[in-house]
Amino acid sequence: DSGVTQTPKHLITATGQRVTLRCSPRSGDLSVYWYQQSLDQGLQFLIQYYNGEERAKGNILERFSAQQFPDLHSELNLSSLELGDSALYFCASSSRDGDRETQYFGPGTRLLVL
Amino acid sequence: AQSVTQLGSHVSVSEGALVLLRCNYSSSVPPYLFWYVQYPNQGLQLLLKYTSAATLVKGINGFEAEFKKSETSFHLTKPSAHMSDAAEYFCAVSGSGANNLFFGTGTRLTVIP
């Protein structure tokens, strides 16, 4: 158990809909990262938040957005869903190790868009 | 820019045999390298990490990896495979600045009894 929690574990929805994925980082970790794992794209970085502020953006679509709240939990919002958005979405939180970070991953949310 | 290449999307070994999973990296800064394991229907678990303190890194479950700068490699090994090692293994390198991870395409390890 990494200490990172994600809800829900599974989500089935229809095209055009909007969903919210939730992540709670490990106690004391200020950074939260979101990743998407799909069969065709592999594991891709979406976005990072640090202590409530957006820190970095990766291959995140404009239809997707995220935020980190004062209690440090984060939510990833996916809107106008398409079939291709079906994937496993991971959240990770990180602890600092010298000048770099080590990321610990949650169990993921499996999204199926029908 | 950072990237990793994992050679071999599928590797099969017999139980008790040596496991060797290959990873080559490309990085414009001193790399920070990781191996993660993903068991079926589970999240990513950190196996080990290279932080420049030592070139031979020992991880969990008997795995280790050696950082070779001259070969830009960070191959994962285990002397004797166990059935429970069957999983997908991902090599990753951290980027500069934001520290987000760049993952390889993964290697699925099958252990034959």
Side-chain angles (χ1 to χ4, degrees), chain A residues 55-91:
Chain A
R55 177 66 67 90
K57 262 186 175 179
N59 298 323
I60 188 166
L61 300 171
E62 283 193 15
R63 300 183 285 109
F64 296 1
S65 65
Q67 54 185 326
Q68 186 179 27
F69 295 86
D71 67 353
L72 299 177
H73 89 271
S74 177
E75 294 181 355
L76 179 67
N77 300 296
L78 315 176
S79 62
S80 303
L81 285 167
E82 302 175 359
L83 297 177
D85 297 327
S86 296
L88 195 50
Y89 291 84
F90 286 111
C91 160

Side-chain angles (χ1 to χ4, degrees), chain A residues 18-75:
Chain A
R18 172 189 169 96
V19 297
T20 298
L21 313 183
R22 183 188 168 104
C23 167
S24 293
R26 299 185 324 154
S27 177
D29 287 353
L30 301 179
S31 268
V32 169
Y33 297 77
W34 286 97
Y35 292 85
Q36 179 195 59
Q37 184 180 32
S38 63
L39 284 175
D40 53 344
Q41 300 287 333
L43 266 161
Q44 288 197 101
F45 166 66
L46 295 178
I47 197 165
Q48 180 206 2
Y49 276 80
Y50 178 84
N51 202 21
E53 299 290 326
E54 182 184 303
R55 177 66 67 90
K57 262 186 175 179
N59 298 323
I60 188 166
L61 300 171
E62 283 193 15
R63 300 183 285 109
F64 296 1
S65 65
Q67 54 185 326
Q68 186 179 27
F69 295 86
D71 67 353
L72 299 177
H73 89 271
S74 177
E75 294 181 355

Side-chain angles (χ1 to χ4, degrees), chain B residues 14-79:
Chain B
S14 297
E15 191 174 15
L18 171 72
V19 176
L20 171 60
L21 304 183
R22 299 178 187 275
C23 173
N24 287 88
Y25 70 90
S26 171
S27 178
S28 55
V29 298
Y32 203 41
L33 294 157
F34 305 82
W35 276 99
Y36 285 87
V37 60
Q38 185 177 27
Y39 297 102
N41 299 314
Q42 293 189 30
L44 294 163
Q45 181 180 5
L46 179 67
L47 266 181
L48 50 80
K49 61 185 179 184
Y50 168 72
T51 62
S52 78
T55 56
L56 183 62
V57 182
K58 293 188 184 300
I60 62 171
N61 302 338
F63 284 93
E64 61 182 37
E66 187 173 8
F67 173 74
K68 292 186 177 180
K69 186 177 179 180
S70 60
E71 299 177 7
T72 61
S73 69
F74 190 56
H75 302 330
L76 183 71
T77 60
K78 181 174 180 177

Side-chain angles (χ1 to χ4, degrees), chain B residues 10-14 108-112:
Chain B
H10 291 87
V11 170
S12 292
V13 299
S14 297
R108 185 170 298 279
L109 176 67
T110 299
V111 182
I112 303 165

Side-chain angles (χ1 to χ4, degrees), chain A residues 8-15 17 19 81 109-114:
Chain A
K9 289 192 73 171
H10 303 276
L11 202 47
I12 301 175
T13 188
T15 55
Q17 294 298 304
V19 297
L81 285 167
T109 293
R110 187 172 295 278
L111 174 66
L112 180 60
V113 182
L114 301 175

